[in-house]
Amino acid sequence: MSDTVPETAVTPREREREQEPEYAPSAPAPLQVPRTPTGDVGVDAHLGRLADADHLATDGHLEVYEDVHRGLRDALTALDARPGPPVPTRHPTNAPE
C-alpha cells in the first residue's frame, strides 16, 4: 500500500483557466468626449455627469451611464407631462351674438 495520493487528471479546459489572467479593469483614463451645451439646464447637468466616468475604472462606467440615461429619460418624460395650450370652451362662430 502506498502513502502517496494519486494525482487527478487535469482537463485541457482546466489548464486554460489556470493560465488565464484574472479580471482587472482598466485604469481610469479621460475619454475627452466633447459635450456641447444644449441650452436646457437639466439636460446639460446630466450630460456633464458623463465627465465622472473619466475618473473611474471601466467597471465603474456602467453606473454613471445608467444614471445619465435615467436622468435624460426623465427629462424627456417631463416634456410629455407639461400642460399644453388651454382648450377653448366654446366654438367660435361667424354670426354675431
Side-chain angles (χ1 to χ4, degrees), residues 13-44:
R13 180 63 188 141
E14 289 173 335
R15 199 171 297 121
E16 285 177 20
R17 282 190 207 137
E18 291 173 0
Q19 295 173 354
E20 289 177 1
E22 290 186 32
Y23 172 74
S26 298
L31 299 175
Q32 299 178 355
V33 175
R35 293 170 197 79
T36 305
T38 65
D40 184 291
V41 177
V43 170
D44 290 341

Side-chain angles (χ1 to χ4, degrees), residues 29-86:
L31 299 175
Q32 299 178 355
V33 175
R35 293 170 197 79
T36 305
T38 65
D40 184 291
V41 177
V43 170
D44 290 341
H46 291 299
L47 293 177
R49 170 112 165 79
L50 290 173
D52 294 345
D54 289 348
H55 310 290
L56 299 172
T58 53
D59 62 345
H61 289 191
L62 182 61
E63 182 180 341
V64 173
Y65 296 155
E66 287 178 344
D67 183 47
V68 171
H69 180 259
R70 188 173 25 258
L72 293 174
R73 186 182 59 226
D74 291 347
L76 285 173
T77 302
L79 292 175
D80 290 337
R82 288 185 184 166

